[in-house]
Amino acid sequence: MTIAVSNNKVTAIAKPKRNNMNWKKALNISFKVFAPKNVSTNLATSGGSIRLDNLSGSQDFATSGGSLHVSNLSGKVKGRTSGGSIHVSNSTDEIDLSTSGGSIHADNCSGDLRLSTSGGSFDLSNLKGTIRANTSGGSINGNNIEGELTAGTSGGSINLRDLSCSLETSTSGGHIDVSIKEYGKFVKISNSGGNIDLELPRSKGVDLSLNANKIKTGTLYNFNGNTEETRVNGTLNGGGLPVTVSAGSGRISLSMK
């Protein structure tokens, strides 16, 4: 074990003397560091969890399997885990977090958020900025998001409510349920096989393009264009921002509020 301070840098390292040690008889060693708020970190552990609170600076951290807990951070944040869950809250600026399989929970954050998991689910709430969330198979749930949201899953369901943002979202087969409160610059929704339920504001001008095996709409206010059972193309309120929705072999249900 090495713990040292030199040139405003704290170094804390614990590792076995031999690589072939018996892990059943090994010690588990953790570190807890109290530092000034403005500090940068470089952290790594073979399997334990990592928690960071109330820091401002550049944070780079990774674990081979434990969870990541991030709260009240600002600056450049980059975290990796090979399988544990991720929880990030009340943080700002540039956030880049990924896990190979655990779930990700993000709330009350702003800035540039890049979040990814190879199979876990997402729970996103009260986010503002440019948000990118991708999973290989888990579900995506979100509410009260502003700015620009890109969210994709290879097969899970997507449920997004109270959006005030540009939106691009897709899944290969799960159900999509989206409610837009205020438009951003565009809406693009794609589902290769499942159904799509979409609720849009009726007061803005949009260029509407819907394609599916079957389309059901309520009253389309100030609509000018063509409507068919499998295709709807035209403008609402004179046109404006693009709204493109494709459900493949599934159905689309569109309502205006």
Side-chain angles (χ1 to χ4, degrees), residues 67-83:
S67 60
L68 304 178
H69 300 267
V70 173
S71 177
N72 293 298
L73 299 189
S74 62
K76 187 175 182 179
V77 178
K78 182 179 180 181
R80 300 288 183 267
T81 173
S82 298

Side-chain angles (χ1 to χ4, degrees), residues 123-191:
D123 187 3
L124 311 173
S125 63
N126 303 316
L127 304 180
K128 183 176 182 180
T130 302
I131 301 104
R132 282 159 286 185
N134 291 285
T135 173
S136 298
S139 61
I140 300 175
N141 295 297
N143 69 88
N144 195 24
I145 297 173
E146 301 179 27
E148 180 177 322
L149 173 62
T150 303
T153 173
S154 297
S157 62
I158 298 173
N159 190 326
L160 303 172
R161 317 297 298 176
D162 292 329
L163 301 184
S164 302
C165 60
S166 304
L167 173 66
E168 181 173 355
T169 187
S170 63
T171 179
S172 298
H175 182 78
I176 296 180
D177 190 348
V178 173
S179 174
I180 305 289
K181 183 168 63 175
E182 294 182 11
Y183 289 114
K185 296 180 180 179
F186 58 85
V187 175
K188 186 176 181 180
I189 302 173
S190 176
N191 195 340

Side-chain angles (χ1 to χ4, degrees), residues 19-40:
N19 292 330
N20 61 346
M21 67 178 297
N22 185 350
W23 288 102
K24 294 182 179 180
K25 298 180 179 180
L27 294 175
N28 289 321
I29 299 173
S30 62
F31 293 104
K32 182 179 288 187
V33 180
F34 297 89
K37 182 178 179 65
N38 188 12
V39 68
S40 296

